[in-house]
CSV table of all heavy atoms in Angstrom, one decimal:
chain,number,residue,atom,x,y,z
A,1,HIS,N,46.0,-30.9,12.0
A,1,HIS,CA,45.6,-31.1,10.6
A,1,HIS,C,44.8,-29.9,10.0
A,1,HIS,O,44.8,-29.7,8.8
A,1,HIS,CB,44.8,-32.4,10.4
A,1,HIS,CG,43.5,-32.3,11.0
A,1,HIS,ND1,43.2,-32.4,12.4
A,1,HIS,CD2,42.2,-32.2,10.4
A,1,HIS,CE1,41.9,-32.4,12.6
A,1,HIS,NE2,41.3,-32.2,11.5
A,2,ASP,N,44.2,-29.1,10.9
A,2,ASP,CA,43.3,-28.0,10.4
A,2,ASP,C,43.9,-26.7,10.7
A,2,ASP,O,43.2,-25.7,10.7
A,2,ASP,CB,42.0,-28.1,11.0
A,2,ASP,CG,41.0,-29.0,10.2
A,2,ASP,OD1,41.3,-29.2,9.0
A,2,ASP,OD2,40.0,-29.5,10.8
A,3,VAL,N,45.2,-26.5,10.9
A,3,VAL,CA,45.8,-25.2,11.3
A,3,VAL,C,45.6,-24.2,10.2
A,3,VAL,O,45.5,-23.0,10.4
A,3,VAL,CB,47.3,-25.3,11.7
A,3,VAL,CG1,47.5,-26.0,13.0
A,3,VAL,CG2,48.1,-25.9,10.6
A,4,GLY,N,45.5,-24.7,8.9
A,4,GLY,CA,45.3,-23.8,7.8
A,4,GLY,C,44.0,-23.0,7.8
A,4,GLY,O,43.8,-22.1,7.1
A,5,ASN,N,43.1,-23.5,8.7
A,5,ASN,CA,41.8,-22.8,8.8
A,5,ASN,C,41.9,-21.3,9.3
A,5,ASN,O,41.0,-20.6,9.1
A,5,ASN,CB,40.9,-23.5,9.9
A,5,ASN,CG,40.2,-24.8,9.3
A,5,ASN,OD1,40.3,-25.0,8.1
A,5,ASN,ND2,39.7,-25.6,10.2
A,6,VAL,N,43.1,-21.0,9.8
A,6,VAL,CA,43.3,-19.6,10.2
A,6,VAL,C,43.1,-18.6,9.1
A,6,VAL,O,42.8,-17.5,9.3
A,6,VAL,CB,44.7,-19.4,10.9
A,6,VAL,CG1,45.8,-19.6,9.8
A,6,VAL,CG2,44.8,-18.1,11.6
A,7,ALA,N,43.3,-19.1,7.8
A,7,ALA,CA,43.2,-18.2,6.6
A,7,ALA,C,41.8,-18.3,6.0
A,7,ALA,O,41.5,-17.5,5.1
A,7,ALA,CB,44.2,-18.7,5.6
A,8,VAL,N,40.9,-19.1,6.6
A,8,VAL,CA,39.6,-19.2,6.0
A,8,VAL,C,38.6,-18.3,6.7
A,8,VAL,O,38.6,-18.3,8.0
A,8,VAL,CB,39.0,-20.7,6.1
A,8,VAL,CG1,37.6,-20.8,5.5
A,8,VAL,CG2,40.0,-21.6,5.4
A,9,PRO,N,37.9,-17.5,6.0
A,9,PRO,CA,36.9,-16.5,6.7
A,9,PRO,C,36.0,-17.3,7.6
A,9,PRO,O,35.5,-18.4,7.3
A,9,PRO,CB,36.2,-15.9,5.5
A,9,PRO,CG,37.1,-16.0,4.3
A,9,PRO,CD,37.8,-17.3,4.5
A,10,ALA,N,35.6,-16.6,8.7
A,10,ALA,CA,34.8,-17.2,9.7
A,10,ALA,C,33.4,-17.6,9.1
A,10,ALA,O,32.9,-18.7,9.4
A,10,ALA,CB,34.6,-16.3,10.9
A,11,GLU,N,32.9,-16.8,8.2
A,11,GLU,CA,31.6,-17.1,7.7
A,11,GLU,C,31.6,-18.3,6.8
A,11,GLU,O,30.5,-19.0,6.7
A,11,GLU,CB,31.0,-15.9,6.9
A,11,GLU,CG,31.9,-15.4,5.7
A,11,GLU,CD,32.9,-14.4,6.1
A,11,GLU,OE1,33.2,-14.3,7.3
A,11,GLU,OE2,33.5,-13.7,5.1
A,12,VAL,N,32.7,-18.6,6.2
A,12,VAL,CA,32.8,-19.9,5.4
A,12,VAL,C,32.9,-21.1,6.4
A,12,VAL,O,32.2,-22.1,6.2
A,12,VAL,CB,34.0,-19.8,4.5
A,12,VAL,CG1,34.2,-21.2,3.8
A,12,VAL,CG2,33.8,-18.7,3.5
A,13,LEU,N,33.7,-20.9,7.4
A,13,LEU,CA,33.8,-22.0,8.4
A,13,LEU,C,32.5,-22.4,9.1
A,13,LEU,O,32.2,-23.5,9.3
A,13,LEU,CB,34.9,-21.7,9.4
A,13,LEU,CG,36.4,-21.8,9.0
A,13,LEU,CD1,37.3,-21.2,10.1
A,13,LEU,CD2,36.8,-23.2,8.7
A,14,ARG,N,31.7,-21.3,9.3
A,14,ARG,CA,30.5,-21.5,10.1
A,14,ARG,C,29.3,-21.8,9.3
A,14,ARG,O,28.2,-22.1,9.8
A,14,ARG,CB,30.2,-20.3,11.0
A,14,ARG,CG,31.3,-20.0,12.0
A,14,ARG,CD,31.1,-18.7,12.8
A,14,ARG,NE,32.2,-18.4,13.7
A,14,ARG,CZ,32.2,-17.3,14.4
A,14,ARG,NH1,31.3,-16.3,14.2
A,14,ARG,NH2,33.2,-17.1,15.3
A,15,LYS,N,29.4,-21.7,8.0
A,15,LYS,CA,28.2,-21.9,7.1
A,15,LYS,C,27.7,-23.3,7.2
A,15,LYS,O,28.4,-24.3,7.1
A,15,LYS,CB,28.6,-21.6,5.7
A,15,LYS,CG,27.4,-21.5,4.7
A,15,LYS,CD,27.9,-21.1,3.4
A,15,LYS,CE,26.7,-21.0,2.4
A,15,LYS,NZ,27.1,-20.6,1.1
A,16,GLU,N,26.4,-23.4,7.5
A,16,GLU,CA,25.8,-24.8,7.7
A,16,GLU,C,25.3,-25.4,6.5
A,16,GLU,O,25.2,-26.6,6.3
A,16,GLU,CB,24.7,-24.7,8.8
A,16,GLU,CG,25.3,-24.2,10.1
A,16,GLU,CD,24.2,-24.3,11.3
A,16,GLU,OE1,23.2,-25.0,11.0
A,16,GLU,OE2,24.5,-23.8,12.3
A,17,GLU,N,24.9,-24.6,5.5
A,17,GLU,CA,24.4,-25.1,4.2
A,17,GLU,C,25.6,-25.4,3.3
A,17,GLU,O,26.7,-25.1,3.6
A,17,GLU,CB,23.4,-24.2,3.5
A,17,GLU,CG,23.9,-22.8,3.2
A,17,GLU,CD,23.7,-21.8,4.4
A,17,GLU,OE1,23.5,-22.3,5.5
A,17,GLU,OE2,23.8,-20.6,4.1
A,18,ALA,N,25.3,-26.0,2.2
A,18,ALA,CA,26.4,-26.4,1.2
A,18,ALA,C,27.1,-25.1,0.8
A,18,ALA,O,26.6,-24.0,0.6
A,18,ALA,CB,25.8,-27.1,0.0
A,19,LEU,N,28.4,-25.3,0.6
A,19,LEU,CA,29.3,-24.2,0.1
A,19,LEU,C,29.1,-24.0,-1.4
A,19,LEU,O,28.9,-25.0,-2.1
A,19,LEU,CB,30.8,-24.4,0.4
A,19,LEU,CG,31.1,-24.7,1.9
A,19,LEU,CD1,32.6,-25.0,2.0
A,19,LEU,CD2,30.8,-23.4,2.7
A,20,ASN,N,29.2,-22.7,-1.9
A,20,ASN,CA,29.2,-22.5,-3.3
A,20,ASN,C,30.6,-22.8,-3.8
A,20,ASN,O,31.5,-23.0,-3.1
A,20,ASN,CB,28.7,-21.1,-3.7
A,20,ASN,CG,29.5,-20.0,-3.1
A,20,ASN,OD1,30.8,-20.1,-3.0
A,20,ASN,ND2,28.9,-19.0,-2.6
A,21,ASP,N,30.8,-22.7,-5.2
A,21,ASP,CA,32.0,-23.0,-5.8
A,21,ASP,C,33.2,-22.1,-5.3
A,21,ASP,O,34.3,-22.6,-5.0
A,21,ASP,CB,32.0,-22.9,-7.3
A,21,ASP,CG,31.1,-24.0,-7.9
A,21,ASP,OD1,30.8,-25.0,-7.2
A,21,ASP,OD2,30.7,-23.9,-9.1
A,22,ASN,N,32.9,-20.9,-5.1
A,22,ASN,CA,33.9,-19.9,-4.7
A,22,ASN,C,34.3,-20.2,-3.2
A,22,ASN,O,35.5,-20.2,-2.9
A,22,ASN,CB,33.4,-18.5,-4.8
A,22,ASN,CG,34.5,-17.5,-4.4
A,22,ASN,OD1,35.6,-17.5,-4.9
A,22,ASN,ND2,34.1,-16.6,-3.5
A,23,GLU,N,33.3,-20.5,-2.4
A,23,GLU,CA,33.6,-20.8,-1.0
A,23,GLU,C,34.4,-22.1,-0.9
A,23,GLU,O,35.2,-22.2,0.0
A,23,GLU,CB,32.3,-20.8,-0.2
A,23,GLU,CG,31.6,-19.5,0.0
A,23,GLU,CD,30.2,-19.6,0.4
A,23,GLU,OE1,29.6,-20.7,0.2
A,23,GLU,OE2,29.7,-18.6,1.0
A,24,ARG,N,34.0,-23.1,-1.7
A,24,ARG,CA,34.7,-24.4,-1.7
A,24,ARG,C,36.2,-24.2,-2.0
A,24,ARG,O,37.0,-24.8,-1.4
A,24,ARG,CB,34.0,-25.3,-2.7
A,24,ARG,CG,34.5,-26.8,-2.5
A,24,ARG,CD,33.7,-27.7,-3.4
A,24,ARG,NE,32.3,-27.8,-2.9
A,24,ARG,CZ,31.3,-27.3,-3.6
A,24,ARG,NH1,31.5,-26.6,-4.8
A,24,ARG,NH2,30.1,-27.4,-3.2
A,25,GLU,N,36.5,-23.3,-3.0
A,25,GLU,CA,37.9,-23.1,-3.4
A,25,GLU,C,38.6,-22.4,-2.2
A,25,GLU,O,39.8,-22.8,-1.9
A,25,GLU,CB,37.9,-22.2,-4.6
A,25,GLU,CG,37.6,-22.9,-5.9
A,25,GLU,CD,37.7,-22.0,-7.1
A,25,GLU,OE1,38.3,-20.9,-6.9
A,25,GLU,OE2,37.3,-22.3,-8.2
A,26,ILE,N,38.0,-21.5,-1.5
A,26,ILE,CA,38.6,-20.8,-0.4
A,26,ILE,C,38.9,-21.9,0.7
A,26,ILE,O,40.0,-21.9,1.3
A,26,ILE,CB,37.7,-19.7,0.1
A,26,ILE,CG1,37.6,-18.6,-0.9
A,26,ILE,CG2,38.2,-19.2,1.5
A,26,ILE,CD1,36.6,-17.5,-0.5
A,27,MET,N,37.9,-22.7,0.9
A,27,MET,CA,38.0,-23.8,2.0
A,27,MET,C,39.2,-24.7,1.7
A,27,MET,O,39.9,-25.1,2.6
A,27,MET,CB,36.7,-24.5,2.1
A,27,MET,CG,36.7,-25.5,3.3
A,27,MET,SD,36.7,-24.5,4.9
A,27,MET,CE,36.9,-25.9,6.0
A,28,GLN,N,39.3,-25.1,0.5
A,28,GLN,CA,40.3,-26.1,0.1
A,28,GLN,C,41.8,-25.5,0.2
A,28,GLN,O,42.7,-26.3,0.3
A,28,GLN,CB,40.1,-26.5,-1.3
A,28,GLN,CG,38.8,-27.4,-1.5
A,28,GLN,CD,38.6,-27.8,-2.9
A,28,GLN,OE1,39.3,-27.5,-3.8
A,28,GLN,NE2,37.5,-28.5,-3.1
A,29,VAL,N,41.9,-24.2,0.3
A,29,VAL,CA,43.2,-23.6,0.5
A,29,VAL,C,43.8,-24.0,1.8
A,29,VAL,O,45.1,-24.1,2.0
A,29,VAL,CB,43.2,-22.1,0.3
A,29,VAL,CG1,44.5,-21.5,0.8
A,29,VAL,CG2,42.9,-21.8,-1.1
A,30,HIS,N,43.0,-24.4,2.8
A,30,HIS,CA,43.5,-24.5,4.2
A,30,HIS,C,44.5,-25.7,4.3
A,30,HIS,O,45.4,-25.7,5.1
A,30,HIS,CB,42.4,-24.7,5.2
A,30,HIS,CG,41.9,-26.1,5.3
A,30,HIS,ND1,41.0,-26.7,4.4
A,30,HIS,CD2,42.1,-27.1,6.3
A,30,HIS,CE1,40.7,-27.9,4.8
A,30,HIS,NE2,41.4,-28.2,5.9
A,31,ALA,N,44.3,-26.7,3.4
A,31,ALA,CA,45.3,-27.8,3.4
A,31,ALA,C,46.7,-27.4,3.0
A,31,ALA,O,47.7,-27.8,3.6
A,31,ALA,CB,44.7,-29.0,2.6
A,32,ILE,N,46.7,-26.6,1.9
A,32,ILE,CA,48.0,-26.2,1.4
A,32,ILE,C,48.7,-25.2,2.4
A,32,ILE,O,49.9,-25.3,2.6
A,32,ILE,CB,47.8,-25.5,0.0
A,32,ILE,CG1,47.3,-26.6,-1.0
A,32,ILE,CG2,49.1,-25.0,-0.5
A,32,ILE,CD1,46.9,-26.0,-2.3
A,33,LEU,N,47.9,-24.3,2.9
A,33,LEU,CA,48.4,-23.3,3.8
A,33,LEU,C,48.9,-24.0,5.1
A,33,LEU,O,50.0,-23.6,5.6
A,33,LEU,CB,47.3,-22.3,4.2
A,33,LEU,CG,47.8,-21.2,5.2
A,33,LEU,CD1,48.9,-20.4,4.6
A,33,LEU,CD2,46.6,-20.3,5.6
A,34,GLY,N,48.1,-25.0,5.6
A,34,GLY,CA,48.6,-25.7,6.8
A,34,GLY,C,49.9,-26.4,6.6
A,34,GLY,O,50.8,-26.3,7.5
A,35,GLU,N,50.1,-27.0,5.4
A,35,GLU,CA,51.4,-27.6,5.1
A,35,GLU,C,52.5,-26.6,5.1
A,35,GLU,O,53.6,-26.8,5.7
A,35,GLU,CB,51.3,-28.3,3.8
A,35,GLU,CG,52.7,-29.0,3.4
A,35,GLU,CD,52.7,-29.3,1.9
A,35,GLU,OE1,52.1,-28.6,1.1
A,35,GLU,OE2,53.4,-30.3,1.6
A,36,SER,N,52.2,-25.4,4.5
A,36,SER,CA,53.2,-24.3,4.5
A,36,SER,C,53.6,-23.8,5.9
A,36,SER,O,54.8,-23.6,6.2
A,36,SER,CB,52.7,-23.2,3.6
A,36,SER,OG,53.6,-22.1,3.6
A,37,MET,N,52.6,-23.7,6.7
A,37,MET,CA,52.8,-23.3,8.1
A,37,MET,C,53.7,-24.3,8.8
A,37,MET,O,54.6,-23.9,9.6
A,37,MET,CB,51.5,-23.1,8.8
A,37,MET,CG,50.7,-21.9,8.3
A,37,MET,SD,49.0,-21.8,9.0
A,37,MET,CE,49.4,-21.4,10.7
A,38,ALA,N,53.4,-25.6,8.6
A,38,ALA,CA,54.2,-26.6,9.3
A,38,ALA,C,55.6,-26.6,8.8
A,38,ALA,O,56.5,-26.8,9.6
A,38,ALA,CB,53.5,-28.0,9.0
A,39,GLU,N,55.8,-26.3,7.6
A,39,GLU,CA,57.2,-26.2,7.0
A,39,GLU,C,57.9,-25.0,7.6
A,39,GLU,O,59.1,-25.1,8.0
A,39,GLU,CB,57.2,-26.1,5.5
A,39,GLU,CG,58.5,-26.1,4.9
A,39,GLU,CD,58.5,-26.1,3.4
A,39,GLU,OE1,57.4,-26.0,2.8
A,39,GLU,OE2,59.6,-26.2,2.8
A,40,ARG,N,57.2,-23.9,7.7
A,40,ARG,CA,57.9,-22.7,8.2
A,40,ARG,C,58.2,-22.9,9.7
A,40,ARG,O,59.2,-22.3,10.2
A,40,ARG,CB,57.0,-21.5,8.1
A,40,ARG,CG,56.9,-20.9,6.7
A,40,ARG,CD,56.4,-19.5,6.6
A,40,ARG,NE,55.3,-19.2,7.5
A,40,ARG,CZ,54.0,-19.4,7.1
A,40,ARG,NH1,53.7,-19.9,5.9
A,40,ARG,NH2,53.0,-19.1,8.0
A,41,LEU,N,57.5,-23.6,10.4
A,41,LEU,CA,57.7,-23.8,11.8
A,41,LEU,C,58.5,-25.1,12.1
A,41,LEU,O,58.6,-25.5,13.3
A,41,LEU,CB,56.3,-23.9,12.6
A,41,LEU,CG,55.5,-22.6,12.6
A,41,LEU,CD1,54.2,-22.8,13.4
A,41,LEU,CD2,56.3,-21.5,13.3
A,42,HIS,N,59.1,-25.6,11.1
A,42,HIS,CA,60.1,-26.7,11.2
A,42,HIS,C,59.5,-28.0,11.8
A,42,HIS,O,60.2,-28.7,12.5
A,42,HIS,CB,61.3,-26.3,12.0
A,42,HIS,CG,62.2,-25.3,11.4
A,42,HIS,ND1,63.5,-25.5,11.1
A,42,HIS,CD2,61.9,-24.1,10.8
A,42,HIS,CE1,64.0,-24.4,10.5
A,42,HIS,NE2,63.0,-23.6,10.3
A,43,PHE,N,58.2,-28.3,11.6
A,43,PHE,CA,57.6,-29.5,12.0
A,43,PHE,C,58.4,-30.7,11.3
A,43,PHE,O,58.9,-30.5,10.1
A,43,PHE,CB,56.1,-29.6,11.7
A,43,PHE,CG,55.3,-29.0,12.8
A,43,PHE,CD1,54.9,-27.6,12.7
A,43,PHE,CD2,54.9,-29.7,13.8
A,43,PHE,CE1,54.1,-27.1,13.7
A,43,PHE,CE2,54.1,-29.2,14.9
A,43,PHE,CZ,53.7,-27.8,14.8
A,44,PRO,N,58.5,-31.8,11.8
A,44,PRO,CA,59.1,-33.0,11.1
A,44,PRO,C,58.5,-33.2,9.8
A,44,PRO,O,57.3,-33.0,9.6
A,44,PRO,CB,58.8,-34.2,12.1
A,44,PRO,CG,58.6,-33.6,13.4
A,44,PRO,CD,58.0,-32.2,13.2
A,45,GLU,N,59.3,-33.5,8.8
A,45,GLU,CA,58.9,-33.6,7.4
A,45,GLU,C,57.7,-34.6,7.3
A,45,GLU,O,56.8,-34.4,6.4
A,45,GLU,CB,60.0,-34.0,6.5
A,45,GLU,CG,61.0,-32.9,6.3
A,45,GLU,CD,62.1,-33.3,5.3
A,45,GLU,OE1,61.9,-34.3,4.6
A,45,GLU,OE2,63.1,-32.5,5.1
């Protein structure tokens, strides 16, 4: 479920305090990227 984290900068992933708006937008990309990766690798629909 979290394979899209590969595109998220390490400092964002490791940040312990609340994310700012920009960081939150970056973090949210991982769900879309993860789906795209699963599609490219022919995971079951």
